[in-house]
């Protein structure tokens, strides 16, 4: 069933995993991004989706059967998130329409659909967990909703099918991403080992003791392709997580063991990574130069603000996958192995020592 696919955000965590999968399945893959995708075989489309005319020009000769939207741009306020990210989706779909359209559009959002945007994250009246797709939108402005509405309107106008994919925190390989817990924790653990600092859990007691889940980017890529090629998934929204649940009180020790550091005991106090890692830029640069690492800029590897937001939540967060299971998606990925696979790859590619 291989054809032509356009991966929007192909240099990101989800986009690069999706491009890898599509290439392995024999698809012709166009990768739209501002930075060039790392994979050999991806046909690069350089475009800034905020520029309507430039996006249309860049996509003039691209006629994909499926489109995977895996990117967003963080702004200073939710109002600006809505304005910028909705326009990016709109400009993309308008450009594709001018080229004859597409068969299916898959949009990646996330659990902020249920938890609310960063400005009101995990606050107010939230739906019960585990989160299920039939739980409606919160009564709050949210750029995920704005992105969905752009897809829904274009689908009704142009006749393509759509799917919306809501992962929990994504574990995967990319450099320069705004939301990257796996690499952030790998860098933090490496700095703890280098300096002898304690490897402290930065989050809340609710996250330390409660159940949670996560999403491997490789599993999410398979979910995207499944939804784009399965008739029963037309015009549906799906949660997508690894299939296991865990407590950070268990996971933290496993991560520490991989790096050969001792996990500090958790006393219930919140010690954000943004505080713990403040001033670490010169330490990382010195470590990178000594060990011959490929990225000496700490800001391109770690996103403490995002990890702090996830690990500092005051509520338990688990996600229901029954909808996908009933329709035939049975993939499973142990989350500790997802972390270990990422750490091994980061080390092999000389991103961490």
């Amino acid at each position: 069933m291989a054809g032509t696919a356009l991966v929007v955000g192909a240099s990101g965590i989800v986009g690069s995993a999706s491009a890898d999968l599509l290439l392995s399945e024999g698809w012709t893959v166009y990768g739209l991004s501002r930075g060039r995708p790392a994979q050999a075989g991806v046909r690069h489309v350089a475009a800034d989706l905020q520029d309507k005319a430039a996006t249309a020009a860049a996509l003039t000769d691209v006629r994909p059967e499926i489109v995977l939207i895996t990117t967003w741009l963080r702004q200073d306020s939710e109002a600006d998130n809505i304005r910028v990210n909705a326009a990016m989706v709109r400009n993309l779909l308008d450009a594709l329409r001018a080229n004859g359209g597409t068969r299916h559009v898959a949009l990646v959002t996330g659990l902020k659909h249920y938890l609310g945007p960063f400005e009101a994250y995990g606050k107010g009246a939230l739906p019960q967990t585990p989160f299920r797709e039939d739980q409606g939108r919160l009564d709050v402005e949210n750029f995920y909703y704005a992105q969905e509405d752009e897809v829904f309107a274009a689908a009704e106008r142009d006749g393509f099918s759509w799917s919306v994919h809501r992962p929990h925190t994504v574990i995967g390989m990319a450099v320069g991403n705004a939301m990257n817990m796996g690499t952030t924790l790998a860098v933090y653990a490496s700095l703890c080992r280098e300096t002898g600092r304690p490897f402290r859990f930065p989050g809340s007691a609710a996250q330390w003791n409660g159940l949670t889940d996560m999403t491997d980017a490789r599993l999410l890529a398979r979910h995207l392709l499944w939804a784009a090629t399965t008739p029963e998934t037309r015009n549906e929204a799906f949660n997508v997580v690894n299939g296991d649940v865990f407590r950070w009180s268990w996971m933290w020790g496993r991560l520490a063991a991989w790096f050969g550091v001792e996990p500090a005991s958790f006393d219930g106090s919140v010690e954000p990574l943004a505080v713990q890692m403040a001033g670490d830029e010169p330490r990382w640069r010195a470590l990178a130069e000594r060990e011959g690492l490929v990225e000496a800029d700490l800001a391109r590897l770690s996103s403490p603000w995002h990890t702090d937001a996830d690990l500092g939540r005051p509520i338990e967060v688990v996600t229901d996958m029954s909808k996908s299971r009933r329709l035939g998606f049975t993939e499973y990925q142990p989350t500790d192995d997802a972390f270990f696979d990422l750490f091994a790859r980061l080390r092999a590619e000389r991103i961490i020592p």
Side-chain angles (χ1 to χ4, degrees):
M1 294 182 63
T4 300
L6 172 64
V7 179
V8 182
S11 60
I13 293 175
V14 178
S16 60
S18 298
D20 282 342
L21 175 65
L22 288 162
L23 289 169
S24 73
E25 296 284 333
W27 288 71
T28 298
V29 180
Y30 288 88
L32 188 152
S33 61
R34 288 173 297 171
R36 181 173 291 276
Q39 302 93 330
V42 173
R43 304 182 184 192
H44 185 218
V45 179
D48 180 352
L49 291 177
Q50 296 180 86
D51 188 327
K52 183 179 180 69
T55 299
L59 291 171
T60 298
D61 298 321
V62 182
R63 292 173 175 78
E65 296 169 47
I66 65 173
V67 179
L68 311 184
I69 304 176
T70 71
T71 191
W72 72 292
L73 281 179
R74 185 188 181 203
Q75 306 298 310
D76 290 336
S77 69
E78 192 60 18
D80 284 339
N81 276 333
I82 291 169
R83 176 181 56 81
V84 169
N85 289 285
M88 289 167 58
V89 174
R90 184 166 60 252
N91 292 341
L92 169 71
L93 298 178
D94 284 348
L96 292 172
R97 182 192 190 199
N99 286 356
T102 186
R103 179 179 61 78
H104 183 87
V105 173
L107 171 68
V108 178
T109 60
L111 293 195
K112 287 189 292 296
H113 183 93
Y114 309 107
L115 288 162
F118 289 119
E119 290 179 4
Y121 195 47
K123 301 176 182 177
L126 300 176
Q128 289 185 334
T129 57
F131 293 140
R132 293 183 172 87
E133 295 90 345
D134 59 3
Q135 293 166 322
R137 293 180 175 183
L138 301 176
D139 186 18
V140 62
E141 294 297 306
N142 189 324
F143 83 89
Y144 283 172
Y145 305 160
Q147 287 181 308
E148 286 183 344
D149 288 343
E150 293 294 341
V151 171
F152 299 160
E156 184 173 356
R157 178 191 69 196
D158 299 336
F160 60 78
S161 62
W162 55 264
S163 56
V164 175
H165 304 255
R166 299 171 186 160
H168 200 167
T169 305
V170 177
I171 306 170
M173 178 73 177
V175 173
N177 278 72
M179 300 192 296
N180 193 339
M181 181 188 287
T183 302
T184 297
L185 293 179
V187 167
Y188 171 59
S190 299
L191 284 165
C192 287
R193 187 177 60 193
E194 172 73 8
T195 62
R197 293 184 342 219
F199 184 61
R200 297 187 183 279
F201 180 71
S204 67
Q207 291 303 302
W208 180 257
N209 296 313
L211 292 172
T212 194
D213 48 29
M214 295 183 75
T215 307
D216 188 303
R218 299 166 299 181
L219 181 140
L220 177 52
R222 295 193 292 272
H223 195 267
L224 288 162
L225 182 55
W226 166 77
T229 55
T230 302
E232 291 79 9
T233 65
R234 287 175 54 93
N235 303 340
E236 295 286 351
F238 298 98
N239 297 329
V240 50
V241 287
N242 288 337
D244 64 346
V245 294
F246 64 92
R247 303 180 199 277
W248 279 105
S249 57
W250 173 81
M251 183 68 77
W252 199 249
R254 293 184 65 74
L255 302 188
W258 198 94
F259 285 96
V261 296
E262 281 294 320
S265 60
F266 180 66
D267 63 6
S269 61
V270 177
E271 300 187 49
L273 284 182
V275 175
Q276 293 191 52
M277 298 179 71
D280 273 340
E281 290 82 2
R283 296 185 187 92
W284 183 260
R285 187 170 297 278
L287 176 62
E289 291 175 356
R290 189 189 76 214
E291 299 294 332
L293 305 182
V294 299
E295 182 54 72
D297 184 354
L298 182 63
R300 283 183 48 78
L301 296 177
S302 66
S303 50
W305 69 272
H306 169 254
T307 300
D308 287 339
D310 273 10
L311 297 185
R313 289 181 300 215
I315 58 172
E316 181 178 272
V317 176
V318 288
T319 315
D320 185 78
M321 277 281 286
S322 297
K323 186 175 182 180
S324 292
R325 303 297 189 223
R326 290 188 179 103
L327 291 174
F329 186 82
T330 58
E331 299 277 353
Y332 169 81
Q333 170 65 58
T335 300
D336 51 346
D337 287 347
F339 273 120
F340 300 156
D341 289 350
L342 171 62
F343 298 159
R345 184 175 174 187
L346 290 171
R347 182 166 287 171
E349 298 190 16
R350 303 302 302 156
I351 294 173
I352 62 172

